[in-house]
Amino acid sequence: MEKKLLSAENSAKTVLVVDDSAISRTLVVHIIQKLGYQTIQADNGDACIELLNTRSIDLLLLDIHMPGKNGLEILDYIREKNMVLPVIMISGSSDIEQAIQSLKLGAYTYLLKPVEPGRLEITLKNALNEFELRRKVRLFSAAITESPFGVAITDRNGIIEYTNPGFTTITGYAEDEARGKNIGILKSGRQSRAFYSKFWKTIESGRIWQGEIVNRRKNGDLYTEHCIVSPIPDTNGTITHFISIKQDVTLRKKEQEALAESEQRFQELADLIPQPLFETDNKGNITFANHTGLELFGYSKDEIQNDFSCLRLFAPEDQERIRTAIASSISNTPIDNHEYTALKKDGSTFPILIYSSPIIRNGKPSGLRGIGLDITERKRGELQLMELNQTLEERVEERTRELEITHQQMVLQEKLASIGQLAAGLAHEINNPVNFLRINLASLKEDVTDLRLLLEAYRAIIRSAETRPPSPEELQKLEKLENQLSIDHLLDDLPVIFDESERGFERISTIIGSMRNFSFRHAVDQRVQFDINKGIRDTLIIARNEYRYHAEIETDLQEIPMVSCNPEQINQVFLNLIINSAHAIASQKRANKGNITIATSCSGNDVICTVSDDGPGIPPETRSRIFEPFFTTKEPGKGTGLGLSISYDIITRKHGGTISATCPPSGGSTFTITLPLNARKEIHEP
């Protein structure tokens, strides 16, 4: 049985027999074939060289004395061409000088003719086995040398005996600099004595230690490495050396910290928004809520973690409508009514407006993202207005006072409606960068998973290397895994993902900054120096959701001086005019977007601002009434008729400026505002 196994193993080996003597060559070939090896023959040196260059040869049996190139010249040729194969020299001469010269040129051994079969069998077997061992040693050495991981071998006392180039790349210490030094040259002082005590106790007991260590390079820089240290025992089981595999994970640690910082920044930005933000899955279970939302409804973050249905946040009579709204939003179907009755944890209720849009993952909806608006104050104002209207005829004697109160309440309602519009626009504007950041976080998660998978594959190779060298198949499998995971592409994409995420955060910050500027409140009569152009830009950002589907914005904002005014009131005017122009263009139901042009300039002691659109214009019969309270040309339920009236009041009475509307012959309408550079006290009509 053993001979059969040996014969099967030998049959895979090819021996080239080169001898100019046909009798000697035939005898040797017969012996070799009987041992189970495949043979190829040549009768001169030139034929031998040709076969070496064209055939796969495992062993060369070479005669020294031949016509043409002799055996020593062929040995010299093999060495010059860096051919790697065992060579056994045979000769009928016992010239010791030839034998020594053959061995110097790289021959495995030297045999005399006639070759004894038993001696030849042993010599062939030993030569092939020794060559295979040397090949494996070279392969193992090349694997260690070319490994991107740092490898260090120390004695029991930690004195370095070997390092590979990867060690030099990581630490900065060349092999000759590190050899003979204690591995402690890498200590950074960041680990405690207890840490190192546990470390040495582990490896000296024969167990493998692995973990992260903060070490110091030769140049003094600190870095973080993931290290695996394995004890190396001798044949008696006594530990004589330790081998450590090192990987510089400094960049990975920074990336992990950056990812954690990004997630924290997203949470902090979401918590800055003064309205409830939320995300759900396709089943309506809440997957994210900001601090405002949790506080408004009275729940903690832990309470909404596991399958917390959003239906629990609404009154029972509204839950069926919510189910329908979820289905409509996921399918991107418009919803007419966004108002519901919200239910707090303590059982109390309040009116709320919900605006949402689908979360798209891989081209498919995976849930909803939206914003909620507590409209308690607006509903209270509406209720009060209803009550006042119901009793208006019964309170004729107090008509003047009641009309004034009603007017103030309607002004408040208009402001609340504007706030609702701003919040809705904010929800839409912030949706894109937030969705983009979510996608990037998901991509980073997948990339980290791929890197972890590749790392596990490397670890498996390293663990198997403790008992045997890695096989070519294992290395090919590792290379194939790298190609499957597109590691080079992944590493190139990581910086791009972080840059794109940073731009997303900058976009969110810009929106929130504009919201803060727009929402800041001065006293009603307070006047401060204000950049009109900046107010226009902030208003355009806040109102973008109102005009972006209907009109393109063009601005011609010239350099103008600061104006003494109440910024919030002036911004309210800009908002009203921009929204009116957008609604006017939208009413035409045009196939293409319209245009809204905003321009500023300075003339004498006044700053001038114009808001023009190419909408339907204002009919001559209604042009004189557009600044009257409650007058509107919009459909019922689409406007209060207070926007232009409030704007007129702010510009003329509170700031001493002028506001007018014209309709150019080319079409559309133009509103022109003039504001004095110096603040004036409120002007009251006589």
Side-chain angles (χ1 to χ4, degrees):
M1 177 65 73
E2 183 178 353
K3 286 186 176 181
K4 287 183 178 180
L5 292 174
L6 181 60
S7 178
E9 180 181 349
N10 291 346
S11 66
K13 304 294 184 182
T14 300
V15 179
L16 173 58
V17 179
V18 185
D19 196 327
D20 62 333
S21 171
I23 296 175
S24 297
R25 190 171 67 250
T26 302
L27 178 62
V28 171
V29 167
H30 177 72
I31 296 172
I32 294 174
Q33 288 179 342
K34 191 174 180 180
L35 294 174
Y37 298 101
Q38 298 181 16
T39 60
I40 303 175
Q41 303 179 43
D43 59 2
N44 61 75
D46 293 327
C48 173
I49 289 176
E50 182 178 356
L51 288 171
L52 287 174
N53 288 322
T54 58
R55 298 289 297 273
S56 176
I57 309 298
D58 296 300
L59 184 142
L60 174 60
L61 201 64
L62 181 63
D63 187 16
I64 290 183
H65 300 290
M66 292 182 298
K69 292 186 181 293
N70 62 36
L72 294 178
E73 290 175 323
I74 293 174
L75 273 177
D76 192 51
Y77 177 83
I78 290 173
R79 186 173 64 174
E80 180 184 338
K81 297 299 183 180
N82 294 318
M83 295 181 179
V84 182
L85 80 162
V87 181
I88 299 174
M89 304 299 293
I90 56 175
S91 176
S93 171
S94 58
D95 187 348
I96 190 66
E97 292 297 330
Q98 286 185 343
I100 293 174
Q101 183 65 17
S102 298
L103 295 176
K104 286 183 178 180
L105 290 174
Y108 174 73
T109 189
Y110 187 94
L111 298 178
L112 292 175
K113 297 179 182 179
V115 179
E116 195 273 319
R119 176 70 183 277
L120 180 59
E121 178 182 1
I122 293 172
T123 302
L124 288 174
K125 182 178 179 181
N126 289 344
L128 289 169
N129 287 342
E130 183 176 327
F131 177 77
E132 180 63 19
L133 288 175
R134 289 182 178 179
R135 187 190 67 81
K136 290 181 179 179
V137 169
R138 287 195 301 271
L139 181 62
F140 176 76
S141 176
I144 294 297
T145 300
E146 299 301 325
S147 172
F149 298 100
V151 178
I153 299 176
T154 71
D155 64 12
R156 281 187 61 90
N157 298 318
I159 303 302
I160 298 172
E161 295 187 4
Y162 169 81
T163 61
N164 73 335
F167 180 91
T168 302
T169 300
I170 293 174
T171 67
Y173 288 98
E175 183 179 6
D176 57 348
E177 292 177 317
R179 189 185 303 113
K181 301 288 197 310
N182 192 284
I183 196 68
I185 60 174
L186 302 179
K187 282 186 177 181
S188 65
R190 294 295 183 91
Q191 274 75 38
S192 64
R193 290 184 179 179
F195 173 87
Y196 285 110
S197 175
K198 185 176 180 180
F199 166 82
W200 283 103
K201 184 177 180 181
T202 299
I203 61 176
E204 287 177 345
S205 68
R207 292 175 293 161
I208 296 175
W209 182 93
Q210 64 175 316
E212 291 185 354
I213 303 178
V214 177
N215 277 337
R216 189 181 301 277
R217 306 185 204 273
K218 178 183 176 181
N219 64 5
D221 293 342
L222 297 181
Y223 70 98
T224 303
E225 72 172 40
H226 184 272
C227 183
I228 301 175
V229 182
S230 301
I232 304 175
D234 59 15
T235 55
N236 297 321
T238 302
I239 296 174
T240 60
H241 293 81
F242 299 104
I243 181 171
S244 60
I245 312 296
K246 302 173 178 292
Q247 180 185 15
D248 187 349
V249 295
T250 306
L251 179 59
R252 187 178 72 186
K253 294 286 287 185
K254 290 181 178 179
E255 290 172 349
Q256 291 173 345
E257 291 170 359
L259 178 60
E261 183 180 351
S262 296
E263 292 176 345
Q264 181 179 356
R265 186 180 302 166
F266 168 75
Q267 181 67 58
E268 290 172 351
L269 285 171
D271 288 340
L272 283 175
I273 297 175
Q275 305 295 341
L277 289 179
F278 66 88
E279 288 184 354
T280 74
D281 58 22
N282 279 335
K283 296 180 180 179
N285 295 321
I286 293 179
T287 57
F288 170 80
N290 67 346
H291 177 73
T292 303
L294 294 173
E295 189 176 61
L296 178 62
F297 284 89
Y299 288 95
S300 67
K301 192 173 184 179
D302 292 337
E303 289 178 300
I304 66 167
Q305 289 297 321
N306 299 317
D307 296 333
F308 187 95
S309 175
C310 66
L311 296 178
R312 296 172 59 180
L313 303 180
F314 297 92
E317 60 271 18
D318 276 354
Q319 291 183 3
E320 188 58 37
R321 286 181 56 218
I322 290 294
R323 289 190 185 93
T324 303
I326 291 174
S328 298
S329 294
I330 289 177
S331 63
N332 214 14
T333 303
I335 303 172
D336 293 333
N337 190 355
H338 301 272
E339 184 176 328
Y340 306 95
T341 300
L343 179 65
K344 295 185 179 182
K345 181 181 178 181
D346 61 10
S348 59
T349 61
F350 64 95
I352 191 170
L353 285 176
I354 300 293
Y355 297 94
S356 63
S357 60
I359 301 173
I360 305 300
R361 294 287 184 270
N362 298 322
K364 297 180 179 180
S366 62
L368 293 176
R369 178 181 296 114
I371 187 170
L373 306 175
D374 181 355
I375 56 173
T376 302
E377 291 300 322
R378 193 181 86 174
K379 297 295 288 185
R380 183 179 293 120
E382 292 174 352
L383 180 61
Q384 291 174 351
L385 181 58
M386 286 177 61
E387 293 174 350
L388 286 172
N389 287 335
Q390 290 173 356
T391 59
L392 187 60
E393 295 301 328
E394 300 174 2
R395 300 170 58 191
V396 176
E397 297 175 354
E398 300 177 357
R399 185 177 185 85
T400 303
R401 183 176 63 85
E402 290 180 354
L403 285 175
E404 181 64 21
I405 294 174
T406 301
H407 176 72
Q408 293 299 325
Q409 289 174 339
M410 292 301 292
V411 170
L412 175 61
Q413 180 182 354
E414 178 68 16
K415 291 183 178 180
L416 290 173
S418 297
I419 292 174
Q421 290 173 328
L422 297 182
L426 180 62
H428 284 282
E429 284 300 300
I430 208 169
N431 178 65
N432 285 338
V434 168
N435 186 47
F436 185 70
L437 291 171
R438 283 288 186 185
I439 292 173
N440 276 0
L441 290 176
S443 297
L444 286 174
K445 185 176 180 180
E446 291 177 0
D447 291 346
V448 171
T449 300
D450 288 346
L451 289 174
R452 183 179 298 166
L453 179 62
L454 182 60
L455 179 59
E456 290 299 327
Y458 275 113
R459 287 178 174 174
I461 291 293
I462 294 171
R463 286 194 291 269
S464 67
E466 296 174 8
T467 57
R468 60 174 178 80
S471 67
E473 291 78 11
E474 289 174 324
L475 296 177
Q476 289 175 359
K477 184 178 180 181
L478 190 60
E479 183 178 1
K480 182 178 180 181
L481 178 59
E482 284 189 355
N483 293 332
Q484 288 175 346
L485 297 179
S486 301
I487 292 303
D488 293 336
H489 181 69
L490 182 151
L491 294 176
D492 291 339
D493 278 354
L494 284 176
V496 177
I497 290 175
F498 282 110
D499 290 342
E500 291 177 346
S501 298
E502 186 174 1
R503 288 196 294 272
F505 283 120
E506 290 173 356
R507 176 59 181 165
I508 295 174
S509 298
T510 299
I511 295 171
I512 292 177
S514 297
M515 186 65 180
R516 284 178 173 172
N517 294 337
F518 195 87
S519 302
F520 189 85
R521 289 290 177 265
H522 294 87
V524 174
D525 297 329
Q526 187 178 359
R527 301 291 183 267
V528 297
Q529 294 296 314
F530 180 58
D531 184 352
I532 294 294
N533 289 341
K534 185 177 185 304
I536 291 172
R537 295 188 186 100
D538 285 339
T539 304
L540 287 173
I541 291 175
I542 297 302
R544 184 171 181 267
N545 194 59
E546 292 296 320
Y547 64 75
R548 63 174 176 173
Y549 299 109
H550 312 298
E552 299 288 349
I553 298 293
E554 296 180 6
T555 58
D556 180 18
L557 307 180
Q558 299 183 16
E559 186 173 348
I560 56 176
M562 304 284 276
V563 176
S564 179
C565 63
N566 185 294
E568 297 79 62
Q569 294 174 1
I570 298 301
N571 282 345
Q572 181 70 38
V573 174
F574 294 150
L575 179 65
N576 290 342
L577 296 179
I578 292 169
I579 291 177
N580 278 353
S581 292
H583 287 177
I585 293 172
S587 68
Q588 294 179 293
K589 299 180 179 180
R590 295 153 61 170
N592 299 321
K593 290 184 180 181
N595 291 299
I596 299 175
T597 302
I598 304 174
T600 58
S601 60
C602 186
S603 176
N605 292 323
D606 293 325
V607 166
I608 301 172
C609 174
T610 61
V611 180
S612 304
D613 64 65
D614 61 353
I618 307 171
E621 61 270 20
T622 61
R623 202 173 300 167
S624 61
R625 301 187 58 196
I626 58 175
F627 295 111
E628 294 179 7
F630 307 107
F631 179 80
T632 179
T633 59
K634 297 179 182 178
E635 299 176 7
K638 296 294 185 179
T640 62
L642 289 174
L644 289 178
S645 173
I646 292 173
S647 299
Y648 183 87
D649 180 76
I650 290 172
I651 297 299
T652 60
R653 295 183 60 224
K654 291 182 168 54
H655 289 84
T658 63
I659 180 172
S660 61
T662 59
C663 294
S666 58
S669 59
T670 299
F671 285 82
T672 302
I673 299 171
T674 62
L675 287 171
L677 292 175
N678 298 321
R680 306 183 192 179
K681 293 184 178 180
E682 182 172 346
I683 301 173
H684 297 279
E685 296 177 359

